Amino acid sequence: MDILQNFAILEGPDGSGTSTQMELLKQRFAAAAPGRPVLHTTAEPTGGELGQCIRRALKGELPLRPETLARLFAADRGEHLYGKGGIVERANRGELVVCDRYVPSSLVYQGLECGEELPRSLNSPFPAPRLIIFFDLDPRIAAERIKDRGEREIYEYLEFQIKVRDRYLSLLPVFRAQGSAIVCLDASRRPEEVAAELWAALKTLPALGGQLMRSTGTTGRGS
Ligand code: TYD
């Protein structure tokens, strides 16, 4: 499988804190590595037309078959990767691209909803990230964290999130075998502690002068 160097992703169940960490990362990066390399943070679903359509489906405003949603996620990802100013273009010109969710989310969430085969085949042409940072959190704690957010999305209920975490844990070794380095963080801790470990993980990337081994288990509950 093709590995896209300079590309790292954050993954985890809903409420595991990846969005918060993205914000902290931007601040830390600006202070600690001014200038080069350029950090590009991004997320899926994207803010583009396809991503907005997905957001409506996630809110339950647009009822779609799980298979259609799987195809939409993959289509949104294809644009995100290969469109103008996309992930591939940026990573190839030396930017450090960090994305909140990517292919593993589809393999986990859509895998649970419509079987493994469809998301696997839809996503098989896409490159794997150099580094996957998994935010591990008991779904009960995550549910507590997101219960005050107001609107609940279609996947945000406890039974499903328990399956999501289990599916992630069973797939991490597969991603590692495909050549991505995996770092597993204990996301139950304070945001500043998680941020410090996220930073340490990113510093293993060649773009930040690190020497990434094929599978790092150096931080948190390394796997
Ligand atoms: P996210 O933006 O991380 O959640 P939030 O709205 O809380 O910030 O992700 C939105 C949801 O989309 C989340 O439940 C996971 C789901 N998702 C998939 O099911 N498949 C995918 O391929 C992606 C990228 C996200």
Side-chain angles (χ1 to χ4, degrees), residues 1 3 104 107 116 120 128 132 167-182 214-215 223:
M1 172 167 291
I3 302 287
L107 300 183
E116 290 176 23
R120 191 184 293 152
I132 300 175
R167 183 65 65 98
Y168 267 119
L169 292 175
S170 67
L171 283 176
L172 290 179
V174 177
F175 303 140
R176 186 194 293 132
Q178 289 168 348
S180 296
I182 311 291
R214 252 183 111 238
S215 294
S223 65

Side-chain angles (χ1 to χ4, degrees), residues 81-111:
L81 279 165
Y82 303 113
K84 197 166 160 26
I87 292 172
V88 169
E89 184 185 314
R90 287 174 180 276
N92 284 342
R93 67 171 179 240
E95 293 184 23
L96 175 59
V97 182
V98 183
C99 187
D100 187 352
R101 298 193 179 280
Y102 182 63
V103 169
S105 286
S106 280
L107 300 183
V108 169
Y109 288 75
Q110 281 63 60

Side-chain angles (χ1 to χ4, degrees), residues 14 55 58 73 77 101 105-106 109-110 149 153 155:
D14 287 77
R55 289 273 172 208
L58 293 175
F73 273 116
R77 183 163 298 130
R101 298 193 179 280
S105 286
S106 280
Y109 288 75
Q110 281 63 60
R149 273 195 202 167
E153 293 185 344
Y155 299 135

Side-chain angles (χ1 to χ4, degrees), residues 4-189:
L4 189 59
Q5 305 298 332
N6 298 331
F7 182 39
I9 61 167
L10 312 188
E11 289 284 348
D14 287 77
S16 56
T18 55
S19 315
T20 307
Q21 289 300 324
M22 276 297 215
E23 286 311 310
L24 294 176
L25 173 64
K26 279 190 257 180
Q27 293 164 18
R28 187 166 194 141
F29 196 90
R36 298 202 172 266
V38 170
L39 172 71
H40 178 70
T41 56
T42 183
E44 294 186 0
T46 69
E49 294 286 334
L50 294 171
Q52 288 176 37
C53 181
I54 293 170
R55 289 273 172 208
R56 289 181 56 217
L58 293 175
K59 283 187 200 151
E61 293 169 7
L62 176 66
L64 292 177
R65 294 166 56 243
E67 291 77 8
T68 307
L69 198 48
R71 292 188 175 94
L72 275 177
F73 273 116
D76 185 41
R77 183 163 298 130
E79 289 303 314
H80 196 200
L81 279 165
Y82 303 113
K84 197 166 160 26
I87 292 172
V88 169
E89 184 185 314
R90 287 174 180 276
N92 284 342
R93 67 171 179 240
E95 293 184 23
L96 175 59
V97 182
V98 183
C99 187
D100 187 352
R101 298 193 179 280
Y102 182 63
V103 169
S105 286
S106 280
L107 300 183
V108 169
Y109 288 75
Q110 281 63 60
L112 286 166
E113 286 282 88
C114 46
E116 290 176 23
E117 194 37 47
L118 180 66
R120 191 184 293 152
S121 64
L122 288 170
N123 287 280
S124 63
F126 300 144
R130 179 69 291 213
L131 176 64
I132 300 175
I133 299 160
F134 177 62
F135 284 59
D136 192 18
L137 185 64
D138 183 327
R140 287 164 202 83
I141 300 176
E144 272 301 303
R145 285 188 183 175
I146 56 183
K147 78 174 191 309
D148 299 326
R149 273 195 202 167
E151 285 175 359
R152 193 179 281 208
E153 293 185 344
I154 56 173
Y155 299 135
E156 292 178 351
Y157 57 98
L158 184 58
E159 270 163 71
F160 188 75
Q161 291 295 323
I162 289 171
K163 290 188 201 155
V164 163
R165 176 169 181 256
D166 289 348
R167 183 65 65 98
Y168 267 119
L169 292 175
S170 67
L171 283 176
L172 290 179
V174 177
F175 303 140
R176 186 194 293 132
Q178 289 168 348
S180 296
I182 311 291
V183 169
C184 197
L185 299 185
D186 174 0
S188 68
R189 290 162 313 155

